Every structure is written in structure tokens, then in C-alpha cells.
Amino acid sequence: MSESPHHTRLPPALYVVATPIGNLGDITLRALDTLKCVDRVAAEDTRVSGQLLAHFNISKPLVSIREHNERVAADKVIAWIAAGDAVAYVSDAGTPAISDPGARLVAAVRAAGLTVVPIPGVSAVTTALSAAGIESGQWLFHGFLPPKSGTRRAQLQTLAALPSALVFYEAPHRIEETLADMAAVLDSARPVTLARELTKRFESIVTLALADAPGWLAADPNHVRGEFVVIVHPPVASEVVVDAEAMRVLDVLLAELPPTLAAKLASKITGRSKAELYKMSLALKPQAQDDV
Ligand code: SAM
């Protein structure tokens, strides 16, 4: 791995640099080194990133790359890198391409045969998860749900049966309606962690039943202020909903086989986790025991 001492030139590449989501102390040493050493910085919003650079006494030519011009701007970035420049890309906060622009640029640079170097750091999703206590370690990041309730509920429906935790981003003006839809569509007994204003002065992280979340938001106007990561915890094992096809396969196999073998084969057939199917076997046929 090459290290970059201050103000040396970096090899030509696109450096995808994560920046803080609130607390500027969360910038990494490598991010600072990279921003100091690149030839140019491409940014989602040059004003936001200009302030960040100024805070760290870094002055670089800035160019704006937003979602609407990402494809065209990518050609410029590719030309710079091909000519020998090191170019950084930063979004407004956190890790680029995580519910932020950047993915198209990265894909275009890689497709042009040029190097993309991730400079990792903060993301709201990992920050929230690190404090949520999801013991299974399984989670699905969904990012933002659609703004319209009908499509939002339909999307939630497709996630309801998954055995993992579900992680969403939400803005303050939509948090109440989104949580109301979650409580209506998902099992409202599932715990939900609301991680608000992470790394900032008024950070709050609470875990409560989904059914109680709308009431918690309504209880205090401060509760709806700020940016949110919403983590719906996994359904408890006994309530894991296995889709109808997995259940049918398991049922047929359980008529002939002990639970361990039935779960193993059902897992191969359906692609679902063996452990989850084994638990389901015992729930379907509590009297069935493997021979020891
Ligand atoms: N790229 C960013 C990342 O890596 O986390 C996410 C950018 S996305 C446009 C902004 C959303 O991320 C917010 O609406 C909120 O859901 C979440 N977010 C960003 N900063 C946050 C913070 N300090 N506390 C809680 N959520 C935050």
C-alpha cells in the first residue's frame, strides 16, 4: 500500500473520499492527506465541500458533479486522470455513492480502464448500526423509501418477510409518515432504532417497538428535528416469516426427513438460510426431533 506524505503527488486515479456526517473530527488522516495531495477536487456541492476544505486549510480547484451532470462531468474527470491528474470526489457528507451521487462517476472511470481508490471513513449507515445492537449481524441497507405513501408501503411490503434488520435513511420532514407506514406494513412489535443527528451535538439514539415510534416522535418537537437513520430490527426468530414457497418445500421434506436434513435440502432448493429453515422446521413440527 502506498502512503502519501503531505504534498507529494499522488498517482493518477479517482480518489473517492469519505467526509464527516457532522463532527469534523471524524475526518480521517488519510482523507486529509489525499485532499491535500490531489490535483483537483470534484464535489457534489462545491460550496459545502469548499467550507470543509477551508476548515482544514486546503485549497484546491473545485468542480461540481451532481446527479444531473454526473455522466457528462465524468468525461471531464476521465480526461484529467488520463492526462496524469489525481482527482478526489467528495459528496456533501459521509461516503460518496451511499444514497449520494458518485456511483456513475466511479463506474465510468473504471470502465475507462482507470484506477479508483476508495478512501474510507464515515457513513451514517455504519455509524448507526454500530450503536444499534443488531446481534445477528444481518442487515439490508435500503436507503431512502419513495416519497409517496402508496409506493412506500408497496416497497415495505417486499421487505417485510426478510429475516434481516432493515436500514433506511429519512429526512425530518418525512420521518413521521414513513414511521407510520412502517408500523402499518411491518410487524409493529419489531424493535426499531431511531438514530438522529449522529456525531452532532444533539445526537439521540433510541430503540422502541415500531408501534410506539409515531407516539415517540409526536411527544416532543425536538424528536423530529435532524437527519435520521431508521433501523428496523429483525423479526424475532419464532416470528420469522418464511415465504410461502420455502414453507411448502420444507413441509414436503419434513414429511420424509428429520429437521436437520429437511432444512439443509430446503436451503439448497430455496436459497434461504439453513439456520432459519431449521428453526422453521421445529416450529412447523415441534414433535419432530433428529435421531441422535
Ligand atoms: N452519503 C451519506 C452517508 O454515507 O451516510 C448519506 C447521504 S444521504 C443524501 C443523507 C441521509 O443520510 C440523511 O437524510 C440521513 O438519513 C442520513 N444521515 C446523514 N447524516 C446523518 C446524521 N448525522 N445522523 C443521522 N442520519 C444521517
Side-chain angles (χ1 to χ4, degrees):
M1 193 187 85
S2 69
E3 294 195 355
S4 48
H6 287 205
H7 308 299
T8 52
R9 282 204 84 203
L10 287 170
L14 176 69
Y15 295 82
V16 183
V17 182
T19 59
I21 56 169
N23 188 326
L24 292 182
D26 290 335
I27 192 123
T28 69
L29 295 174
R30 191 160 168 239
L32 286 178
D33 255 4
T34 304
L35 291 170
K36 279 176 190 154
C37 295
V38 289
D39 300 291
R40 306 162 187 275
V41 176
E44 179 186 4
D45 184 327
T46 51
R47 279 167 310 166
V48 173
S49 300
Q51 280 170 12
L52 180 83
L53 293 183
H55 178 87
F56 292 108
N57 290 320
I58 299 171
S59 166
K60 290 286 160 179
L62 277 160
V63 56
S64 159
I65 298 192
R66 303 180 76 93
E67 233 149 5
H68 71 271
N69 74 347
E70 208 174 334
R71 230 174 268 262
V72 176
D75 290 341
K76 252 196 245 173
V77 171
I78 287 167
W80 286 327
I81 300 172
D85 277 1
V87 181
Y89 180 68
V90 288
S91 58
D92 286 355
T95 303
I98 307 295
S99 295
D100 256 348
R104 256 184 223 152
L105 174 65
V106 163
V109 170
R110 289 169 60 83
L114 299 167
T115 308
V116 174
V117 182
I119 309 292
V122 186
S123 186
V125 52
T126 46
T127 306
L129 277 163
S130 72
I134 304 298
E135 289 183 47
S136 71
Q138 287 181 24
W139 47 275
L140 178 136
F141 177 62
H142 190 85
F144 289 100
L145 283 159
K148 287 199 178 135
S149 182
T151 25
R152 185 163 56 222
R153 284 186 178 222
Q155 253 178 44
L156 284 167
Q157 200 66 59
T158 67
L159 304 171
L162 297 177
S164 52
L166 308 170
V167 187
F168 304 92
Y169 281 169
E170 196 48 282
H173 63 278
R174 219 172 270 140
I175 188 71
E176 285 167 293
E177 42 182 290
T178 292
L179 277 169
D181 281 349
M182 285 178 178
V185 174
L186 306 174
D187 174 1
S188 65
R190 284 171 77 166
V192 62
T193 296
L194 305 177
R196 213 182 111 249
E197 292 291 87
L198 290 166
T199 78
K200 300 185 193 174
R201 186 159 168 223
F202 295 110
E203 174 179 277
S204 77
I205 302 169
V206 296
T207 300
L208 62 181
L210 203 40
D212 298 331
W216 183 85
L217 288 177
D220 181 339
N222 287 322
H223 288 176
V224 290
R225 296 212 173 106
E227 304 292 332
F228 283 83
V229 180
V230 177
I231 302 178
V232 181
H233 291 227
V236 280
S238 61
E239 290 166 0
V240 167
V241 189
V242 176
D243 66 64
E245 175 63 359
M247 195 118 65
R248 195 189 62 76
V249 169
L250 196 56
D251 208 34
V252 171
L253 293 170
L254 275 171
E256 306 292 332
L257 299 167
T260 315
L261 199 51
K264 190 175 163 192
L265 291 177
S267 167
K268 284 198 174 137
I269 295 166
T270 65
R272 300 192 74 111
S273 121
K274 195 166 63 182
E276 178 198 327
L277 288 162
Y278 180 72
K279 278 185 200 142
M280 183 50 62
S281 309
L282 298 184
L284 281 173
K285 297 255 164 81
Q287 76 288 3
Q289 294 289 326
D290 284 339
D291 294 335
V292 215

